[in-house]
Structures are given as C-alpha cells and as structure tokens.
Amino acid sequence: MNNIHSPEEIKSILRQSNLVVLKQLGQHFLADEKVLKNIIEAADLNKNDAVIEIGPGLGTLTHELALKCRKVIAIEKDKKMVELLRKNLERFKNVEIIEGDILERVPVSLKEAGTLNSLNSYKVVANIPYYITSPIIKLFLESSVKPELMVLLVQKEVAERICACPGKMSVLALSVQIYSQPELINLVSKNSFWPAPKVDSAILKISNIKTSAEVRKSLGFKKASEKDLFRIIKIGFSSKRKKLANNLSSGLNLRKEEISKIFEKLGINENSRAQELSLKKWGDLTNFISMLN
Ligand code: SAH
C-alpha cells in the first residue's frame, strides 16, 4: 500500500492543489496504513466486485479499491477534489468519479443512469462523511437495489449503537438490524486521520443484507409490511421516559388493557422499555397489531 499519505503529505497535497479542508463536508483524510488494510480485508474483495465509494477525498481508499476490483464508482461532493482525483486516478480505467451529493444519487438513480448497468451486485466501501452516516446507511439498506455488503468507517459511538443488543436498542440499531447483520470490526483512533476528528472511529461491517421479501419472511409477516414495522418501532420509542406499553397505547389508540393482553400473548414483560425489545419481538408485535386492523 504505497498510496497512503502522512499528515505532512496530505497538507502538502492540499497546499499544492490550492485546496482547503472543508469542515462542513466532514473532511478527515485517512492517514493510517493499517486502517486502510483492515477496511480492504473486511470488504473481502475480488476481481469481479463492483464497489461504490462515498466521499473518496484524496483517493487513498479509491486507489486500493481500483487495484482489487473490477469497477469503482466514487461519488464526491467537493468539486475541486473531483478535479484532483480525476487527474490522480487517470491511469485506472476501472474508476469512475462522479461529482455529486450521495444523498441525491440513490442507487436506483445510478442504475437508471446506466452507471450500475451490468452489475448484479455491488459493495459499498467508504470512509464516509460522518455528518450523514444514518442517511447514507438508510439510503442503501432501504433501496430497492441493495448492496451485497457495506464496510464503512464511522464514529465509534455510532458503530456501537448500531451493533447494540436488546437493552440498548434504538431506532437506528433496529433500522440496520432489520435488514442486515452489523458488526464492529476494529476501533480506529482519531489520530489515524488528518485533520483528526473530535472522536474515535470504528470500522463497521454490514453483511447478510436482506431484500424486503426476505425481511418479511424472516419476521413471519403475513399481512404486515416493513412500513408497519417502522411505524410500530417509532411509536414504541416515541417517549423515552415512558414504558413501551404506554407509548403503544397512546400512539395506537388502544386501551392499556388491550396492550397488556397483547404483551401477555407475545411474552413481553409489561414493564418493558422500548430499548429492551429484540427485533424478533418488534416483528411479533407488528404482526399481531396488523391483524387487529
Ligand atoms: N475517503 C477519504 C475522505 C474521507 S472525508 C479518505 O478516507 O481519506 C469525507 C469525504 O466525503 C470528503 O472528501 C468530502 O468532501 C466528501 N463528502 C462530504 N459530503 C458528501 C456528500 N454529501 N456526498 C459525497 N461526498 C461527500
């Protein structure tokens, strides 16, 4: 891996190209060879892979991906950085740099535009801008053209929240675990970047990504849809101070006694709080409630 840059090199590349660090775009460039190696390993790449990278920046990861995969599509919002990237990665014929905002380039529109034309599957591998971590993950997991795998550098605290177990569940954890199996691969020090972010990071691997039909099947849904599931989860978490039963009762307009009966049938403790329920139990609740209507 000869393309990794030290903080001094990053500074000098930026200076030479007349670039300034745009904090509002979450620019923290990777400056640690070991982390780069760990990301590549976690992505389990092969020569047939097509990869989408979000926020390639100076192209450190892009360069490595280009050597390992069939095709790399990198989407970068910073216009000036795009110019530099195109110049620096010119020799790689398998790299396509798209200037734009990832949130406006949903995978479906990439497919329609022919960018993902012959791809049956793709992976997402990126050191992403942290200010849009949840929207990025949501965008790909809820898309009709889902990736096969995602390996992302994210804030450590966010990775831990996403990988949480019952007791510490959140809407974010559930919205990832509904579709996939998230796993925290490595912790990454904030000093592995330049400029260093305020907090430490982690490599997050999201695998076993399910289609909507597979999600419904795995939760035993008959009438219910993912939309119903998300609705019940949102209602369940609506007031943090209240017990789950109270949130459901007010949000669903059901009497407390009815909620108690449902809980008893499904083996849910009446004093439960939303963060204590497993995905399976949220599925059971959704299934049951969808039958009432
Ligand atoms: N991947 C690079 C840079 C990470 S910093 C590295 O590891 O060194 C995050 C990158 O995301 C920056 O290059 C930033 O300009 C870009 N970015 C920020 N918001 C974006 C958006 N909405 N869409 C695409 N890229 C974005």
Side-chain angles (χ1 to χ4, degrees):
M1 303 207 181
N2 54 5
N3 67 315
I4 192 86
H5 304 295
S6 66
E8 276 58 46
E9 281 174 303
I10 294 174
K11 277 184 241 179
S12 107
I13 294 171
L14 293 173
R15 210 180 310 117
Q16 277 167 22
S17 318
N18 264 328
L19 290 170
V20 281
V21 174
L22 299 178
K23 284 229 170 89
Q24 69 273 29
L25 286 185
Q27 293 185 345
H28 299 283
F29 304 102
L30 189 59
D32 187 325
E33 184 172 336
K34 196 156 160 274
V35 176
L36 181 60
K37 200 163 157 261
N38 289 341
I39 296 173
I40 295 290
E41 265 173 29
D44 197 17
L45 297 167
N46 68 62
K47 275 283 173 202
N48 281 323
D49 279 335
V51 171
I52 293 186
E53 185 191 357
I54 303 143
L58 298 173
T60 306
L61 178 58
T62 326
H63 183 286
E64 216 50 44
L65 293 170
L67 293 172
K68 299 248 166 14
C69 316
R70 177 169 60 87
K71 173 95 188 161
V72 184
I73 299 161
I75 300 149
E76 171 59 59
K77 190 170 177 179
D78 185 343
K79 191 175 171 21
K80 281 187 146 181
M81 210 140 270
V82 169
E83 285 165 22
L84 179 68
L85 271 170
R86 287 203 174 123
K87 201 172 86 206
N88 288 351
L89 297 172
E90 203 177 8
R91 69 195 161 99
F92 291 110
K93 300 301 169 218
N94 59 341
V95 176
E96 187 179 337
I97 315 264
I98 297 178
E99 182 191 333
D101 184 326
I102 183 63
L103 300 182
E104 287 159 17
R105 295 274 182 170
V106 283
V108 177
S109 79
L110 285 173
K111 191 153 197 166
E112 277 161 4
T115 315
L116 293 174
N117 47 9
S118 62
L119 310 179
N120 290 321
S121 68
Y122 66 96
K123 294 177 178 174
V124 177
V125 184
N127 169 22
I128 57 171
Y130 292 170
Y131 72 102
I132 44 173
T133 301
S134 301
I136 288 174
I137 297 179
K138 227 169 120 65
L139 175 77
F140 283 95
L141 290 184
E142 291 176 21
S143 159
S144 58
V145 212
K146 300 187 214 292
E148 169 192 347
L149 175 83
M150 297 178 86
V151 175
L152 306 174
L153 253 177
V154 301
Q155 287 178 348
K156 172 183 161 223
E157 192 246 328
V158 175
E160 285 169 347
R161 270 181 55 210
I162 289 175
C163 299
C165 296
K168 290 194 167 173
M169 292 301 252
S170 59
V171 177
L172 177 65
L174 285 162
S175 57
V176 176
Q177 294 182 22
I178 283 167
Y179 292 104
S180 64
Q181 200 181 325
E183 189 186 345
L184 196 161
I185 301 289
N186 287 110
L187 295 181
V188 175
S189 157
K190 54 177 174 265
N191 299 319
S192 297
F193 303 87
W194 191 88
K198 287 204 178 72
V199 290
D200 287 333
S201 296
I203 300 174
L204 176 71
K205 180 173 179 171
I206 298 177
S207 56
N208 289 331
I209 298 176
K210 297 191 189 87
T211 62
S212 295
E214 286 166 342
V215 168
R216 288 196 298 273
K217 194 167 169 230
S218 70
L219 293 172
F221 285 0
K222 293 177 192 87
K223 241 178 102 187
S225 66
E226 284 153 82
K227 224 174 128 196
D228 297 323
L229 176 62
F230 280 117
R231 183 172 152 256
I232 302 289
I233 290 173
K234 287 225 172 82
I235 292 174
F237 278 93
S238 55
S239 171
K240 273 203 182 124
R241 287 174 296 111
K242 286 196 202 155
K243 286 180 192 159
L244 176 62
N246 291 331
N247 283 339
L248 291 177
S249 167
S250 50
L252 294 168
N253 234 339
L254 289 171
R255 280 181 294 116
K256 278 291 291 293
E257 300 82 77
E258 290 177 90
I259 300 287
S260 297
K261 264 193 215 151
I262 299 174
F263 276 22
E264 204 183 313
K265 277 216 175 77
L266 300 177
I268 298 172
N269 186 311
E270 60 175 337
N271 292 320
S272 296
R273 303 207 168 251
Q275 65 269 24
E276 291 165 358
L277 246 58
S278 66
L279 172 59
K280 166 87 177 46
K281 288 282 186 232
W282 285 108
D284 292 348
L285 261 178
T286 307
N287 231 341
F288 201 95
I289 290 163
S290 71
M291 298 293 189
L292 296 178
N293 306 321

